[in-house]
Amino acid sequence: MTDSLHWWQTGVIYQIYPRSFQDSNGDGVGDLNGVLQRLDYLQSLNIRTLWFSPIYPSPMHDFGYDVADYCAVHPLFGSLADFDRLLAATHARGMKLVLDLVPNHTSDEHPWFVESRSSRDNPKRDWYIWRDPAPDGGPPNNWLSFFGGPAWTFDEQTQQYYLHQFVKQQPELNYRNPAVLQAMLDAMRFWLERGVDGFRVDVIWLMIKDALLRDEPADPAWDGVNPHASLQHIYSADQPEVHDVIRAMRRLLDSYDDRMMVGEIYLPNDRLMTYYGAALDECHLPFNFQLINAKWDAQTVRRLVDQYEADLPPGGWPNWVMGNHDQHRLATRVGPQQARVANMLLLTLRGTPTCYYGDEIGMENVPIPLDRVQDPPAVNQPEIAHIVGRDPARTPMQWDASPNGGFAPAGVRTWLPLADDYAIRNVAEQERQPTSMLHFFRALTALRASTPALYAGAYAPVDTGVDEVFAYTRSHGDERYLVVLNFGQGNHRLDLRALGERAAIALSTGMLSSGDIRLRQVYITPNEGLLLRLI
Ligand code: NOJ
């Protein structure tokens, strides 16, 4: 059975935020040649797939998620030739490369929008979502931007509003116009022809809006913090027609050999599952972000894992995400003590794991001085910047103890500051320490890559009798593994004899990887995770 699995099912995805990974030319911003220099490192992590946040030409109002040309590389990151070289080198190492695709909106500097806004009768007018003002002159409806303020901006020249659910420089395309979809499929083709292995599709669940653009109702459960959450987004997101668009994208991918699409979707399970497609003909992987938002306790996590497993459609392949460039750092969310437990969970659950750069060395949120805050939701909403600001999780990768942490040459002003502790917490230092987080991460990914039970096996929860310990088995054929994770601060003795007599230690968060234990008396210490092979 494992032979029939695809690379995107068995392998680990690693997200690179190109601005922050490695600066090769000393301008303080990471680039493609920088990634090329670090490919050996990435290969050493036993990563199968690299996903790059956007590298396209962009005025960078949303750090590349405002695309001005879908078929080129921003000079900050390099050239198309650099890209081709990097892709070839990635493939030569047996790894895959997935690009971010941002189809919901363009930059306001994209030629399509420049034309569209030039006059009401321009042929591209209908490529975007333009509407007359409300009778009082205000926006056409009450929709809000994720980044603060209304989702509409008035264009003086043509006296209409255009829609944008992010910054105002990110006008939204109109997928009710079939020409728009064709143009986006052409952009995908451009990269697929170059050999790209797939796409992470930005805000795929937002791509079509209600045809009548109706007002959204207030959310009575709103906690009063983030204004965007004050409305129930029943008309600006997750519309039935979006599935036609996704199916068209999938058909294009399927016309190539073994390519894939992972969709960014923040929805509850019942809605999320529809993005596999009724005939599994939409996203190969609809991103599952539940672990990011979950309350970090063993029983909550067990319940959500069990529920997700139960909700998957037949044949739908699971996936798990622990962090990304929009979220607070993993080690900050769960606490540095729990970061190894969290990684053991991510890398031993059933389904494709996605890791975020730097989480393998336990990078934490970096406080950004006020005068260096750049992220639009934080700039627009200073009072909730500590909640919605994303700069703290996007800081330069910490490679070594040299000035600028090996990310950029000494003396260069990096686009975001490095963490204060970079001289201690960095790749070079952790390479030297046999029990470091980095070695732990690598041991875990190595085991996962070579163990069918872990990359393909069935999942079953195990009752441990202890609230703060979550345990489960992963089985494939005769091979059975047991994962025991202590989410808490207690020392516990577990009686797991129902699973057999003895087990061999495959890996522990403390870096034990040999010896065996009796299952009738499994001792687990605070913040400890055990990966055991049942014998
Ligand atoms: C989701 C991306 O992950 C985020 O970084 C971006 O700001 C928005 N989409 C808008 O493209």
Side-chain angles (χ1 to χ4, degrees), residues 62 65-66 102 105 147 166 170 200 202-203 264 325-326 390 394:
D62 189 19
Y65 284 92
D66 45 331
V102 191
H105 42 269
F147 292 168
F166 297 94
Q170 287 169 302
R200 172 269 188 189
D202 191 67
V203 296
E264 186 198 22
H325 65 295
D326 294 329
R390 301 169 299 176
R394 297 176 173 181

Side-chain angles (χ1 to χ4, degrees), residues 398-454:
Q398 297 157 207
W399 294 105
D400 59 41
S402 68
N404 279 333
F407 164 72
V412 164
R413 185 176 162 92
T414 57
W415 81 282
L416 281 175
L418 274 100
D420 282 347
D421 70 349
Y422 81 81
I424 310 162
R425 190 195 307 277
N426 61 59
V427 171
E429 183 56 33
Q430 295 199 13
E431 292 285 9
R432 279 190 286 273
Q433 299 166 4
T435 59
S436 67
M437 175 95 173
L438 178 59
H439 282 292
F440 168 69
F441 183 89
R442 207 178 257 146
L444 203 47
T445 52
L447 253 173
R448 190 182 193 283
S450 59
T451 309
L454 295 180

Side-chain angles (χ1 to χ4, degrees), residues 11-18 20-22 31-53 86-87 89-98 347 355-361 397 399 427 431 438 441-443 445-446 449:
V12 175
I13 302 175
Y14 182 95
Q15 180 188 358
I16 291 185
Y17 194 69
S20 295
F21 200 62
Q22 177 67 58
D31 46 51
L32 295 179
N33 285 333
V35 178
L36 186 65
Q37 291 168 13
R38 297 296 185 179
L39 272 191
D40 287 343
Y41 170 75
L42 292 164
Q43 191 176 14
S44 83
L45 295 181
N46 312 300
I47 296 306
R48 188 74 208 272
T49 304
L50 304 179
W51 148 35
F52 290 5
S53 283
L86 178 56
L87 180 61
T90 304
H91 283 165
R93 286 169 161 79
M95 294 191 285
K96 304 284 186 179
L97 199 157
V98 165
L347 291 161
C355 306
Y356 185 50
Y357 86 95
D359 282 351
E360 72 275 22
I361 55 168
M397 180 68 177
W399 294 105
V427 171
E431 292 285 9
L438 178 59
F441 183 89
R442 207 178 257 146
T445 52

